Structure formats: structure tokens, C-alpha cells
Amino acid sequence: MVRCIIPAIMLTACASAGDFDQQQAARFARLALDCVHKEYPNKIAHSLNSDADVKPPRELTPAFYGCYDWHSSVHGHWLLVRLLRLFPEAPFAAEARDSLSGSLTPENIAHEVAYVNAEGRSSFERPYGLAWLLQLAAELREFDDPSARRWSAALIPLEDAITARISGWLPKLEHPVRVGEHANTAFAMGLMLDYARIAKKTEFGRLVESRARDYYLKDTACPVAYEPSGEDFLSPCLAEADVMRRILPQPEFAAWFARFLPRIDLEPTRVADVTDGKLYHLAGLNLSRAWMIEGILSKLPEGDARRKALANLSARLRQAGLESIKSEHYEGGHWLGSFAVYLVSGRGLS
């Protein structure tokens, strides 16, 4: 069994991956390889300014046009970079490199920047897709590889455009968005904070942390019993705790968490119809809940009485989420691999 090959600084991620091996990685890589350059079916969130904007997805956003929608394409590319880092000699590595080289070119990224900055697109993919783009940028910055350095350099103009967009938006966002889908503020802020620390974007990180404190520090008794809504793939309560554990020192977080979530009574969710893309969101909810609980556990003291129950819950959520990923169903296959790899490789913990 070939396990992940990663530098010492990321041993936490490898340890948390458990039985994440090359065979599993190949399965998830296949999901991304089958969709990052698959143009149709496609759901575009496209603001038309004139007849000139009536174009196919590959011309509108030539780097990220596959995987059904822009944000799924972005984190499909992240998945390939992540797996290349962990399994650089795997049989899928050459195909992954070719795919990334075809997407992450200076010309393609210049088109992406022009698209994002065009009139009427100030809310494009905000915040979910923008946060995943920064996660892709962070992964490339940590990847000590000649090709990764080339891809990272090509991505910088879009990275800069997105950090500027977020920096202009967060000061105006008076209230966080507390839903279980793409608009959720807390989940995106977690990815943004990780990016800021990896990329050493001090001012950007300070802004994100400050706004997170403004939004969440005084919160108590999150109504986790009301979760999930029928199409959630994120937990509003757990996402908030997961971003706050990135910010608060351990004693302060433990006290805040006790007030915020005095009880967590959750069960794995079931997908009633895997051919319904919205209902399939609930498979991703199991995965994201599992990694958020692992993030929370990483910040609770060893003697905390809640650790055992939370660890057991995370394990059950992980199992349910991984078992629900079916490659033959494009409704979930175009994005669930990214969620699975984020979880099993311990990305949010490193």
C-alpha cells in the first residue's frame, strides 16, 4: 500500500488521513479528471452585459469551465493539485499534470480576471467559489514542484483580483450569511484565513479575522437541532465553530464553544434520490460536518469531556459521506471528490 508522501510540516494531515492510500486517491482523481474539461452539462451564473457575452462556457471562463459550474471546476483543480502533492508518483499523476497545464495558463487566467472584473459581476461566486480559488492558490504555493510554481505564477492575477474583491466586500457585509449552501460566510472565511496564512497575506488575514470576530464572537446557543435544511451541504453551526477555532486561543475557544454549542445531537444524513443534484447535497454535508468536527477537536483540550462523543460522531459522518460517493451519478461526482479529499487528507488541519 502506497501512502501519502508529504513534507514533515504536514504530518498532521497524513496522520488524519488514516487509510487514505493511492487506490483511494486514484478514485477521487478520476472524478476530477473526468469533469474539469467536461463542458456540458453546465450551469453558469452569468450576467449578460451585451450580445457579446453570449458565448459557451469554455470561452467565458477558459480555465474553469468544466465540472458543471465554476466553483466545482475550481475545487476540482484543487483536488488534482492536492493529490499530486500527496501521491506524486501515482499512475494518475501524468494525466493530472497535463490537465492542470492545460487550464492554468497565463492566457486563460487573463480571461478569468477579465470575466470576474466585468461590469455586473461584483457578486460572482461570492464567497464560496472565490474562497475555493484562494484554497487552490494556497495549495499551489505549498507545492514544491516546478510545474506547481509555474501554475501558481499564472494564477496570481486572479488571486489578486479575488482578494481585492473580498477586501472590498467584507467591510460592507454587516451580517453574516447563515445558510447551509454556497452563500455561507463562515465556511468561506475558514478557507480565506488558511490562504492568508499560507500566502503570508497579513492585511487580508487581519481583515478576515476581524470580521469573523465581529460576526461570531458574541454568538451563543446555535440552533443545531434545526439542521439540516433539505439541500444543505454545510452546517451553519459547525462552520462557525470551525472558523472560530482558527482564530481563538485554545482556552478562549473552549469556553466560547461551550456557550455556542452546549449540545451537538446530529446523525448522518441520507440521500433519498442520487439523481437529484440538490438532494445529493446531503452527502456532502456528512463530509463537511466530519471535517469541521475534526477541526473543532483539534482545538479542544485533551481532557475535554466532549472529545470522545465528537470523535465518534465524526467517524460515523465520514463513513456515511464516503460511502455515498458514486461516480456514475454526475450530480454528485462532479464535486463530492473534492469534499472527500479535503476530509481524508486532513487539509483543514495542516
Side-chain angles (χ1 to χ4, degrees), residues 67-232:
C67 295
Y68 188 67
D69 47 34
W70 193 87
H71 53 259
S72 297
S73 181
V74 168
H75 58 63
H77 284 79
W78 167 83
L79 183 156
L80 293 177
V81 175
R82 181 71 172 162
L83 293 181
L84 274 176
R85 288 187 67 199
L86 300 181
F87 303 96
E89 305 300 327
F92 61 78
E95 187 178 357
R97 287 181 180 276
D98 288 345
S99 184
L100 290 162
S101 292
S103 297
L104 303 180
T105 67
E107 181 181 11
N108 284 350
I109 298 304
H111 281 287
E112 296 279 348
V113 171
Y115 184 85
V116 167
N117 286 337
E119 182 181 354
R121 300 199 182 114
S122 61
S123 62
F124 173 73
E125 290 287 353
R126 191 184 72 193
Y128 181 81
L130 304 187
W132 270 112
L133 190 285
L134 296 183
Q135 181 67 201
L136 171 61
E139 196 75 50
L140 287 170
R141 284 171 177 264
E142 290 190 304
F143 192 1
D144 185 15
D145 174 88
S147 295
R149 287 190 285 274
R150 184 177 74 252
W151 301 327
S152 180
L155 195 62
I156 285 175
L158 183 57
E159 181 184 333
D160 290 345
I162 284 173
T163 54
R165 174 67 52 79
I166 294 167
S167 296
W169 166 64
L170 278 178
K172 297 183 290 186
L173 183 70
E174 295 187 4
H175 309 283
V177 181
R178 305 174 189 270
V179 297
E181 296 189 82
H182 307 86
N184 183 278
T185 310
F187 169 72
M189 294 180 95
L191 295 187
M192 293 171 191
L193 276 172
D194 291 348
Y195 159 79
R197 292 163 180 174
I198 290 167
K200 296 180 172 57
K201 301 288 186 178
T202 305
E203 289 301 316
F204 181 70
R206 186 177 293 121
L207 169 64
V208 176
E209 178 173 340
S210 173
R211 295 308 282 155
R213 287 177 176 272
D214 292 340
Y215 297 147
Y216 306 125
L217 192 58
K218 296 180 181 179
D219 283 357
T220 59
C222 193
V224 70
Y226 291 177
E227 299 183 16
S229 294
E231 299 174 352
D232 283 358

Side-chain angles (χ1 to χ4, degrees), residues 294-309:
E294 290 184 2
I296 292 164
L297 284 168
S298 74
K299 207 59 175 289
L300 290 178
E302 286 298 324
D304 193 292
R306 306 174 72 181
R307 291 184 61 88
K308 183 177 179 180

